[in-house]
Amino acid sequence: MRLTRTLAACTVLALATACGGSSSPGKGGGSSGGAFTPPKLSAPKALGETEGAVNLIAWAGYAEDGSNDKSVDWVTPFEKETGCQVNTKVAGTSDEMVSLMKTGQYDAVSASGDASLRLIASGDAAPVNTGLVPNYKDVFASLKMQKWNSVNGVAYGVPHGRGANLLMYRTDKVSPAPTSWSAVFDKASPYKGHVTAYDSAIYLADAALYLMKTKPELGIKDPYALDQKQFDASVALLKEQNANVGEYWSDYLKEISSFKSGDSVIGTSWQVIANLAKAEKAPVEAVLPSEGSTGWSDTWMVSAKAQHPNCAYKWLDWIVSPKVNAQVAEWFGEAPANEKSCALTSDKNHCTVFHAADEPYWKQVHFWNTPIPQCLDGRTDVRCVPYAKWVQAWTEIKG
């Protein structure tokens, strides 16, 4: 298994571009209310001849060609079937993906929710005609037309997979077993110096989610749509938490090592990290706390400047086909997007462990989204704090 994902801060310039456009209410599906109006771009009505190549930007583990593990290869079969030679640029952060897409040299990208709205608003990602992606019909309905992959009822990509940010703890050090995020946000935590948190400005949403459940007077409805008062409260909570944090993590291997050594005993994590830590004999468990959690749902998006759009569409259909999506989900460590994939995983318990079809579970997960001035919760009487300000605040929080 290979897994890597880091979310670095976005630049002010990138956010200024992403947050442009006028306010317009969302229509239908899960499309964001109070959303911006993207540049007028159209999706193809039909596909033509494939161009012989496709240039991808992807998270490590999303486009395996056998070079990391000879037994893990879904790129070569794609190339043989379509005649599209795959050229993959592995990106380490969402910011890098946004910057690379602006060059116009890439055809498609596996964007996380903290990048997708930026790409849509800046005109770097085009609407997607899902009718030209046959396997889209088998994608879990709860992943389609959501706030991070559609605007005003228009789809801008194909869902790839999803995962939740969980609370992991050492069973021999933490007692009683935690059921709430208060275990990491309580300033009087008995685990001072041994708390860990995800190293990204998007972690502000975790604090906002906790306040949404514990301080309803703040009126938070969406942890990615914070007015100034709500934002300030979230920042204050994380500054308070900073005194108890021993380490902020972005490298999953370092988090596993930290939990094994006991330097970290409680903090944010992913199911796959908990599984790997257990495999290395670390006494850990991971839970979805009572308040719910944040999480990620990645989307394959097509560049508005794609030089190989037909091959790009072939790739979108391939990556969410039942067999391939099962392979990706197992290799990366996430829940597949295609509901038919669960019958095809080599580990027959994979979809159970990762809650692939457990919709009540996912209703508790608030997937990453890009905070913009037009409040994503539909409010039009206030402006929300854009992600550029989240980045500035995150630097102050960490000190």
Side-chain angles (χ1 to χ4, degrees):
M1 173 173 293
R2 180 179 178 85
L3 178 149
T4 179
R5 178 193 299 255
T6 58
L7 289 179
C10 67
T11 63
V12 176
L13 177 60
L15 254 293
T17 302
C19 297
S22 59
S23 178
S24 175
K27 300 175 184 177
S31 197
S32 56
F36 54 84
T37 298
K40 291 184 178 180
L41 298 169
S42 59
K45 291 184 170 62
L47 296 182
E49 292 292 323
T50 54
E51 301 89 355
V54 63
N55 299 326
L56 307 176
I57 306 168
W59 294 114
Y62 273 14
E64 292 297 303
D65 60 4
S67 57
N68 289 311
D69 185 326
K70 290 183 179 179
S71 66
V72 181
D73 183 358
W74 49 86
V75 167
T76 303
F78 169 78
E79 293 174 331
K80 290 179 178 178
E81 181 170 314
T82 65
C84 301
Q85 179 69 37
V86 176
N87 305 301
T88 303
K89 170 67 176 178
V90 173
T93 69
S94 289
D95 282 356
E96 185 179 359
M97 288 183 169
V98 171
S99 296
L100 288 170
M101 281 287 280
K102 289 183 179 300
T103 68
Q105 298 174 20
Y106 299 90
D107 303 302
V109 60
S110 62
S112 291
D114 62 325
S116 52
L117 286 190
R118 285 189 268 170
L119 294 171
I120 296 169
S122 63
D124 291 305
V128 167
N129 181 347
T130 57
L132 300 178
V133 184
N135 285 301
Y136 182 80
K137 68 181 185 302
D138 297 319
V139 169
F140 286 103
S142 58
L143 287 174
K144 297 176 179 178
M145 302 301 293
Q146 295 301 319
K147 291 187 289 186
W148 57 90
N149 59 27
S150 71
V151 175
N152 297 339
V154 177
Y156 278 82
V158 174
H160 171 103
R162 54 183 165 180
N165 295 317
L166 303 176
L167 177 62
M168 188 164 80
Y169 63 97
R170 287 262 309 215
T171 56
D172 61 337
K173 302 286 187 181
V174 177
S175 182
T179 59
S180 166
W181 287 112
S182 62
V184 297
F185 287 125
D186 185 351
K187 65 179 180 180
S189 171
Y191 311 111
K192 183 174 183 178
H194 300 285
V195 174
T196 187
Y198 191 50
D199 191 1
S200 170
I202 204 69
Y203 184 61
L204 269 154
D206 292 60
L209 175 62
Y210 179 68
L211 293 174
M212 183 169 76
K213 301 295 184 178
T214 58
K215 291 193 174 182
E217 63 271 20
L218 286 170
I220 299 174
K221 303 299 182 184
D222 182 330
Y224 306 100
L226 306 177
D227 60 34
Q228 193 64 53
K229 180 179 178 181
Q230 297 165 341
F231 179 78
D232 290 344
S234 301
V235 170
L237 178 60
L238 290 186
K239 285 184 175 179
E240 190 175 80
Q241 184 201 39
N242 177 260
N244 292 333
V245 172
E247 182 179 9
Y248 291 98
W249 71 274
S250 59
D251 184 325
Y252 81 105
L253 290 174
K254 290 182 179 179
E255 187 181 34
I256 291 172
S257 177
S258 186
F259 269 86
K260 285 176 66 178
S261 69
D263 287 342
S264 294
V265 301
I266 193 166
T268 52
S269 190
W270 304 328
Q271 185 64 59
V272 64
I273 295 176
N275 294 348
L276 291 170
K278 286 183 179 181
E280 295 188 20
K281 308 303 181 184
V284 301
E285 290 292 343
V287 297
L288 183 73
S290 57
E291 298 90 358
S293 77
T294 58
W296 77 87
S297 172
D298 293 341
T299 302
W300 278 100
M301 309 178 81
V302 177
S303 172
K305 305 169 187 173
Q307 298 174 30
H308 312 100
N310 297 300
C311 278
Y313 266 80
K314 292 292 185 182
W315 174 260
L316 264 60
D317 191 48
W318 178 263
I319 203 67
V320 293
S321 60
K323 182 180 178 181
V324 175
N325 204 231
Q327 289 176 288
V328 181
E330 284 196 276
W331 177 250
F332 187 82
E334 63 187 351
N338 191 316
E339 56 184 319
K340 290 185 176 180
S341 296
C342 289
L344 301 175
T345 55
S346 58
D347 177 0
K348 297 309 175 185
N349 291 320
H350 180 86
C351 281
T352 299
V353 171
F354 286 88
H355 301 274
D358 186 352
E359 293 305 333
Y361 179 90
W362 296 115
K363 287 184 182 301
Q364 302 175 70
V365 178
H366 298 257
F367 292 106
W368 284 336
N369 209 342
T370 308
I372 59 176
Q374 296 86 2
C375 296
L376 295 171
D377 59 7
R379 287 180 292 170
T380 57
D381 57 335
V382 296
R383 301 288 278 179
C384 280
V385 179
Y387 197 37
K389 298 295 185 182
W390 288 44
V391 171
Q392 294 174 6
W394 184 242
T395 301
E396 296 172 4
I397 289 164
K398 292 175 63 180

